[in-house]
Amino acid sequence: MNRVGDRVGDVDVVIAGGGPAGCAVAAALAELGWSVLLLDAGVDRHKQLAGELLHPTGVRDLRALGFGGVMEAWTSQPVRGFAVRFHAPTTHTLLLPYGRGVTGLSLEHANLTVPLLESVSHRPGVTLHGRARVTAVEHNDEHGVRLRFSHAGAEHTVRARLLVAADGRASPVRRMLGIAEHHLRISTMLGVTVDSACLPYPDHGHQFVGGPLHALAYAIQPGVARVMVDLPLGSTAGTLKARPELLLALPPGLRSEVQRALEQQPAPRMASNDDRLAETVWAGSAVLVGDAAACCHPLTASGMASCFHDARALQEALHRHADHIPRALERYAHERRPAQRTRVALASALYSAFAGQDEGMRALRLGLLHYWEHSPRGARASMALLSSEEPRMRVMAREYLRVVGHALVAMLSTRGPGRRLRSAGPLLRSAGPPLRDAVASAVEQLGSWLHRRVRRPVYTLARAGWASPRRAFESNR
């Protein structure tokens, strides 16, 4: 890349962020023959509590992006599905395997991200600047962007056809672009490492639900597992030390290991759990990918699979509309939106069901247990949603409604007549808002599909004089 003073020669794309999302986008666009400037802030990834579990969809996308050799060198652990351990109303564990015998994988965050960054830096057309940050977006319209970034103690200016914000959920670049977001802080996550032999099913991800606190656990290397405990806002590691009864959802052996880790290890890793949803994922010639566009509670472990899906969707959109960036970004937004909205809604609904302590959420957990026990098809459908294999909101709305139905059946079969009516009310009040939101989003997805597949082509033909929109829609009734 040519330099003149503090001016950097023009490139096709500047990517802000060298994490999994940034690396995936850099690989995807370099494959199209684009010149890529990748700016990595140089954070210490060994201290981050971030993506470590990758669903099969993410594994497939990462291989498709040319990282198969990197993945073969990882010391990763197989993940065959999820083991969900219900602490209440009864202690019971259900296995939710991935479909068709496929597996995911898990490994420590730094061991995942550092090799990806090293690999992509050697791709033809990719230039990596470490310890570099975008400091200002000076100009952004449909013809390209001009921005400033800091690197090696100096400020540089670069022009590009496209700017990709892959700089995480707090995304400074998103703020520079003036893109608003809906933001809700949910809780705080505490992460420690323990002996993986304490996991009931070491080759599965684990969800521990129905206790005072929700927890997620999975192996990250031979003999080592990560346990992540969901804490109320304002809590610290000292909260768990002072109140060990909060870990009652964990099996006794694992509970003891977590308590030992809190006493013996250095300060545990902490992270904020947030719902973030950008109002738009593109503006002018700039686009958001990964957590910069949307993030949710990590209990579904879908963040990395989602960012790799974003990279491939952006690659496909730019391949189709290489000469018209705004049209490509509009296509990207439409292609990613259904899966992202479903992912965020599912994480919110599951978190309420897994961690909620009111009578309605206890009844909904009973419905989940009853549904997965009595409907193998339902268990498969739930796992397809959880692993991002199934992106349709209408499927989530349908499954949620079935869980509510099973909750009502379970209550009628286990409690007296007076108790039934008192429990049904809190269940319907608690389940109503998530179900209403899911149905509304499903209708929105259907409307978007109708516009793209039917209305837009018909009106395009109408402008050319080849069709009458009214007659066309009447003929389809």
Side-chain angles (χ1 to χ4, degrees):
M1 186 176 297
N2 298 323
R3 293 177 183 268
V4 180
D6 65 350
R7 181 97 186 172
V8 179
D10 293 350
V11 296
D12 288 321
V13 57
V14 175
I15 301 173
C23 291
V25 174
L29 300 194
E31 193 173 286
L32 296 179
W34 287 44
S35 57
V36 178
L37 175 58
L38 179 59
L39 305 178
D40 177 46
V43 298
D44 186 353
R45 293 185 170 87
H46 292 87
K47 296 181 179 180
Q48 290 183 312
L49 186 62
E52 295 180 320
L53 193 151
L54 188 56
H55 292 306
T57 51
V59 172
R60 291 198 299 269
D61 284 338
L62 205 54
R63 289 191 184 279
L65 291 168
F67 289 107
V70 176
M71 297 170 70
E72 296 300 327
W74 283 344
T75 307
S76 60
Q77 302 299 294
V79 178
R80 306 189 186 282
F82 273 88
V84 184
R85 186 180 192 269
F86 291 83
H87 174 69
T90 60
T91 300
H92 194 78
T93 301
L94 289 174
L95 296 184
L96 302 177
Y98 292 123
R100 300 187 300 277
V102 297
T103 61
L105 55 84
S106 56
L107 70 163
E108 204 273 334
H109 180 69
N111 294 337
L112 183 152
T113 54
V114 172
L116 287 181
L117 187 61
E118 176 68 18
S119 172
V120 82
S121 69
H122 293 101
R123 298 278 182 103
V126 177
T127 299
L128 170 66
H129 284 344
R131 299 189 179 278
R133 299 175 183 271
V134 175
T135 55
V137 178
E138 297 180 336
H139 180 78
N140 173 38
D141 63 21
E142 63 180 11
H143 302 295
V145 297
R146 184 179 68 250
L147 58 89
R148 294 200 311 270
F149 68 92
S150 61
H151 175 60
E155 287 274 324
H156 308 275
T157 303
V158 63
R159 293 174 300 180
R161 296 174 62 196
L162 178 67
L163 169 62
V164 178
D167 51 345
R169 56 188 178 181
S171 187
V173 173
R174 181 182 60 224
R175 294 196 298 271
M176 294 175 197
L177 293 169
I179 296 177
E181 64 165 352
H182 302 284
H183 178 209
L184 175 66
R185 285 204 67 194
I186 304 171
S187 58
T188 299
M189 192 65 85
L190 176 148
V192 296
T193 55
V194 301
D195 184 348
S196 62
C198 295
L199 297 181
Y201 300 90
D203 58 351
H204 283 66
H206 292 70
Q207 301 276 1
F208 300 100
V209 305
L213 296 178
H214 168 261
L216 172 68
Y218 46 84
I220 56 173
Q221 65 185 58
V224 180
R226 176 85 66 205
V227 180
M228 300 202 298
V229 183
D230 188 85
L231 300 174
L233 291 174
S235 301
T236 65
T239 306
L240 285 184
K241 293 179 182 179
R243 301 181 59 194
E245 70 275 9
L246 294 176
L247 297 172
L248 281 177
L250 277 59
L254 182 57
R255 191 186 316 152
S256 298
E257 275 288 296
V258 171
Q259 291 170 339
R260 179 195 59 77
L262 289 172
E263 295 294 338
Q264 297 181 4
Q265 292 182 4
R269 300 183 190 183
M270 306 283 288
S272 173
N273 295 326
D274 304 84
D275 271 348
R276 291 179 182 263
L277 190 63
E279 290 189 351
T280 180
V281 297
W282 68 282
S285 294
V287 65
L288 312 179
V289 300
D291 284 353
C295 71
C296 54
H297 194 282
L299 89 165
T300 60
S302 58
M304 285 197 298
S306 173
C307 77
F308 298 147
H309 175 269
D310 280 359
R312 297 204 60 200
L314 183 59
Q315 180 189 47
E316 174 63 19
L318 290 168
H319 175 69
R320 286 178 174 267
H321 304 287
D323 297 326
H324 199 296
I325 297 295
R327 187 174 299 164
L329 300 187
E330 181 183 15
R331 179 182 179 87
Y332 161 76
H334 280 304
E335 289 299 319
R336 74 180 295 280
R337 183 177 175 85
Q340 291 297 326
R341 293 300 292 269
T342 301
R343 179 177 81 94
V344 172
L346 177 68
S348 177
L350 276 181
Y351 179 70
S352 296
F354 284 177
Q357 297 300 315
D358 61 274
E359 187 173 0
M361 286 297 104
R362 288 195 295 271
L364 196 64
R365 283 197 293 274
L366 182 65
L368 273 172
L369 176 60
H370 192 271
Y371 185 40
W372 290 339
E373 274 189 314
H374 293 85
S375 174
R377 189 216 61 81
R380 289 193 297 271
S382 296
M383 196 59 195
L385 287 164
L386 186 67
S387 64
S388 303
E389 189 79 43
E390 173 55 73
R392 292 172 295 178
M393 184 69 79
R394 65 180 176 83
V395 174
M396 181 194 152
R398 181 194 70 196
E399 294 304 303
Y400 196 94
L401 189 59
R402 286 176 173 171
V403 169
V404 172
H406 276 261
L408 292 171
V409 169
M411 285 190 300
L412 291 173
S413 64
T414 58
R415 293 175 178 172
R419 182 63 174 167
R420 295 172 191 169
L421 294 177
R422 290 197 300 272
S423 300
L427 168 66
L428 296 177
R429 283 195 299 272
S430 298
L435 183 59
R436 183 185 63 243
D437 293 344
V439 170
S441 294
V443 171
E444 179 188 338
Q445 285 185 9
L446 180 61
S448 177
W449 178 89
L450 181 68
H451 173 72
R452 287 184 286 120
R453 299 296 177 87
V454 181
R455 293 183 182 274
R456 180 183 290 176
V458 166
Y459 280 112
T460 299
L461 292 173
R463 284 197 298 270
W466 289 94
S468 164
R470 179 175 299 175
R471 284 200 299 272
F473 290 125
E474 285 175 349
S475 67
N476 288 330
R477 288 175 183 169

